[in-house]
Amino acid sequence: MKLALASLLAYTASAFGPSTAPPSAHARKPLISGNWKLNPQTKEEALTLARGIASAITDSTPDVDVALFVPYVFIESTMSVVGGKLSVGAEGVCPHSNGAYTGGISTSMIKSIGVDWVLAGHSERREIFGETDYYINAQCLKILDEGMSVMLCIGESLAEFEADLAGSVCATQLKKGLKGVRKEDLDRVAIAYEPVWAIGTGKVATPEIAQSVHAKCRDILAGMYDRETANMIRILYGGSVTPDSIDDLMAMPDIDGALVGGASLDINKFGRIVNFNKAGSLAPAN
Ligand code: PEP
């Protein structure tokens, strides 16, 4: 997939209007999360990776929540080696409670093994597995009903990005994905803005582009609920995040964390991402 640098550079924050960055009174605790997808290939590798990531979280790590979304079969063993330093979540869930859904995993199943975070709406689930906004909404509602937290992924394709449709695509996905979600449950909701053109491509959005979409998403949430509620919801950026990009992304006022795919499979890279420098890459290291 070829993404013209010129189109990235031409895409300015002005496309989305002024930032709605909240005042510091609305400080949101950062959340850095990893998505292992269909990796690693063995339990031994998974545990080595999990142990390494946990050991990168030290007393000098910023005040941050860390979550790893891992394949179902590794959830319990991963939990057992991370010493409570991070949450171990599921990469998805079947929105049905029980019955004839071969291969499905229900919310009560994963809740019963201690899971508290579940991913929904990842672009790979939308594109490869055909999950619709309607299905994703059913997942979100079921996850919240079960008392767990959901990270709802949204984001536009390359064609939509180039047509200046990022804001409207995110608005649609937010409104459909969160349909029927009660305001009082939103403290268990995080949004991951993941432009599809940035996932797994090495083409990370610039901090300015990501910030402008995040601000727009916060405006949309304010319209759906209210400004105070919108200011409390964590909006993460996802798409080719690496140690080289995390600091400047986290320096943006509406970027509250990251959802990291490829780099979450590397202890050194994910360890550095967790230990980001909120002041940006030009500031002295922590
Ligand atoms: C992801 O899978 O959500 C993701 C952002 O992947 P990557 O970091 O590899 O682009």
Side-chain angles (χ1 to χ4, degrees):
M1 182 161 55
K2 193 163 170 286
L3 179 66
L5 182 62
S7 77
L8 269 178
L9 295 174
Y11 190 81
T12 63
S14 62
F16 289 120
S19 165
T20 54
S24 55
H26 296 288
R28 296 171 293 269
K29 187 174 181 184
L31 170 56
I32 301 290
S33 52
N35 174 19
W36 285 359
K37 312 191 190 196
L38 191 60
N39 302 293
Q41 296 312 303
T42 66
K43 179 175 169 181
E44 287 68 31
E45 289 172 85
L47 296 188
T48 301
L49 180 57
R51 278 193 199 95
I53 288 173
S55 67
I57 304 170
T58 67
D59 289 345
S60 53
T61 296
D63 187 23
V64 61
D65 288 330
V66 181
L68 286 177
F69 295 99
V70 312
Y72 295 119
V73 291
F74 299 146
I75 290 176
E76 282 191 281
S77 49
T78 299
M79 281 175 175
S80 73
V81 300
V82 295
K85 286 184 169 182
L86 53 90
S87 297
V88 183
E91 295 179 14
V93 80
C94 176
H96 302 285
S97 299
N98 60 282
Y101 298 99
T102 301
I105 302 281
S106 73
T107 52
S108 59
M109 289 174 190
I110 56 173
K111 174 85 182 296
S112 74
I113 60 168
V115 166
D116 48 21
W117 273 102
V118 189
L119 216 51
H122 193 281
S123 68
E124 288 151 16
R125 300 298 311 180
R126 293 177 191 262
E127 284 178 18
I128 303 168
F129 297 93
E131 294 188 3
T132 62
D133 284 313
Y134 178 80
Y135 189 83
I136 292 160
N137 177 239
Q139 291 172 315
C140 290
L141 292 171
K142 196 81 175 68
I143 292 161
L144 293 169
D145 274 0
E146 201 72 59
M148 297 184 289
S149 299
V150 62
M151 186 177 295
L152 171 63
C153 304
I154 60 170
E156 81 286 355
S157 67
L158 177 61
E160 291 163 339
F161 173 78
E162 291 185 328
D164 262 9
L165 292 174
S168 61
V169 169
C170 289
T172 301
Q173 292 180 350
L174 279 175
K175 286 175 187 164
K176 292 188 173 179
L178 296 179
K179 189 172 178 198
V181 172
R182 294 171 309 178
K183 184 174 148 179
E184 57 265 36
D185 289 336
L186 288 170
D187 59 343
R188 289 185 288 117
V189 173
I191 306 299
Y193 166 60
E194 299 205 297
V196 179
W197 47 265
I199 297 178
T201 61
K203 296 179 171 78
V204 63
T206 64
E208 293 75 19
I209 289 172
Q211 163 60 27
S212 68
V213 184
H214 282 227
K216 176 66 178 170
C217 289
R218 210 175 294 288
D219 281 347
I220 295 158
L221 292 166
M224 292 168 63
Y225 297 94
D226 55 60
R227 177 59 63 186
E228 195 183 351
T229 303
N231 282 346
M232 157 215 111
I233 298 173
R234 291 185 285 194
I235 306 177
L236 283 59
Y237 168 78
S240 296
V241 173
T242 65
D244 290 337
S245 52
I246 187 65
D247 295 345
D248 290 335
L249 287 165
M250 291 302 290
M252 293 290 133
D254 282 292
I255 298 181
D256 306 316
L259 178 56
V260 183
S264 73
L265 299 171
D266 182 304
I267 294 168
N268 292 328
K269 288 181 184 169
F270 196 68
R272 172 62 181 82
I273 289 169
V274 166
N275 289 285
F276 65 89
N277 187 355
K278 175 80 183 153
S281 61
L282 295 178
N286 289 324

